[in-house]
Amino acid sequence: AVGSGVAGWAVGDEVCALLVGGGYAERVVVPAGQVLPVPAGMDVVTAAALPEVVATVWSNVAMCAHLRPGETLLAHGGGSGIGTMAIQLGKALGARVAVTAGSEEKLSRCAELGADVLINYREQDFVEEIRKATDGRGADVILDIMGAKYLERNVEALAVNGRLAIIGLQGGVKAELNLNTLLRKRGAVMATTLRSRPVAEKAAIIAAVREHVWPLVENGRVRPVVDRLVPMADAAEAHRVLESSDHVGKVLLVRE
Ligand SMILES: NC(=O)c1ccc[n+]([C@@H]2O[C@H](COP(=O)([O-])OP(=O)(O)OC[C@H]3O[C@@H](n4cnc5c(N)ncnc54)[C@H](OP(=O)(O)O)[C@@H]3O)[C@@H](O)[C@H]2O)c1
């Protein structure tokens, strides 16, 4: 159904959307500004892998951190749903992309997606590796999902005028930071969460995604990475997969 006063959409349109939450459902209500058309040539289930990761990566890397061509982006967790999209959008923006992951298998999948610098965080120090890969300069933009655990090292890994965008807190919420390191680098630390943004901001992000990213998806330059489909009734199994971190990209729940 389409709400009264909503323009641009009709009953029967194939769409995907940035939800307000509550995605484990067969029917959802979504503000019109958070709806996107299913990209040409893509099936509706695959399209479901796109809105959350694309909106998160684009809003942080392009709109907040202003990644520019020729700069270096470091994306932590390159094999994650977010990471697989960050690699592709970073490359599409003309940047050099470095990633961290916990296994060689995941790093090789990151390389297939275009990552230029592969760092195994279990065996290597990412600060040292990013310096080596950038002639000592560091990363211009870091997309971080670890939070407290990586804060200090992320700031060390930043280039002068670097921007650290924190979007995940997998490594905790409280950390100490040597502000002297940050100010010597004229660095910026920002942190956002998509879910808590006002409806108008989400609509602006989705409009930007439709303008800048949808053409890249439609011409095949950027693609959703889907690890597997899991029937909705087996949602607990999908959670086990995510917890064991065996997946690369997205795990999608589907209606049987
Ligand atoms: N702020 C927002 O708006 C927003 C929106 C969406 C998602 N997120 C956040 O973004 C993060 C990723 O989400 P997702 O759905 O893509 O999750 P996911 O697919 O479950 O990925 C989690 C990733 O974390 C990696 N990881 C674990 N420990 C690591 C470490 N020490 N160093 C580097 N990587 C490490 C894992 O890689 P290995 O298996 O290689 O260890 C795994 O690929 C989550 O924290 C989520 O909450 C935030």
Side-chain angles (χ1 to χ4, degrees), residues 71-85:
E71 288 192 325
T72 297
L73 167 70
L74 168 61
H76 286 298
S80 65
I82 292 288
T84 52
M85 187 49 63

Side-chain angles (χ1 to χ4, degrees), residues 127-198:
V127 179
E128 208 176 290
E129 295 305 317
I130 202 76
R131 283 192 187 139
K132 266 196 235 162
T134 55
D135 295 326
R137 286 186 58 249
D140 301 288
V141 173
I142 300 179
L143 184 64
D144 175 66
I145 59 172
M146 296 308 292
K149 188 174 173 187
Y150 276 5
L151 180 64
E152 189 157 15
R153 281 195 286 155
N154 273 334
V155 171
E156 281 173 26
L158 277 184
V160 168
N161 292 318
R163 291 85 75 198
L164 166 61
I166 301 171
I167 62 160
L169 302 169
Q170 296 181 161
V173 296
K174 281 193 182 175
E176 258 190 34
L177 176 62
N178 183 338
L179 289 169
N180 193 32
T181 316
L182 189 63
L183 67 85
R184 277 191 295 105
K185 292 188 175 182
R186 302 185 291 286
V189 179
M190 55 194 89
T192 69
T193 170
L194 202 50
R195 179 83 59 103
S196 66
R197 286 192 185 233

Side-chain angles (χ1 to χ4, degrees), residues 109-125:
R109 295 289 301 278
C110 294
E112 281 165 27
L113 291 168
D116 305 285
V117 181
L118 309 172
I119 305 169
N120 186 330
Y121 71 78
R122 293 187 203 278
E123 293 169 5
Q124 294 169 295
D125 173 13

Side-chain angles (χ1 to χ4, degrees), residues 9 45 64-65 69 71 76 80 83 92 99-100 103 139 151 166 175 196 226 247:
W9 300 107
V45 171
C64 293
E71 288 192 325
H76 286 298
S80 65
V99 291
T100 57
S103 71
L151 180 64
I166 301 171
S196 66
V226 177
H247 65 295

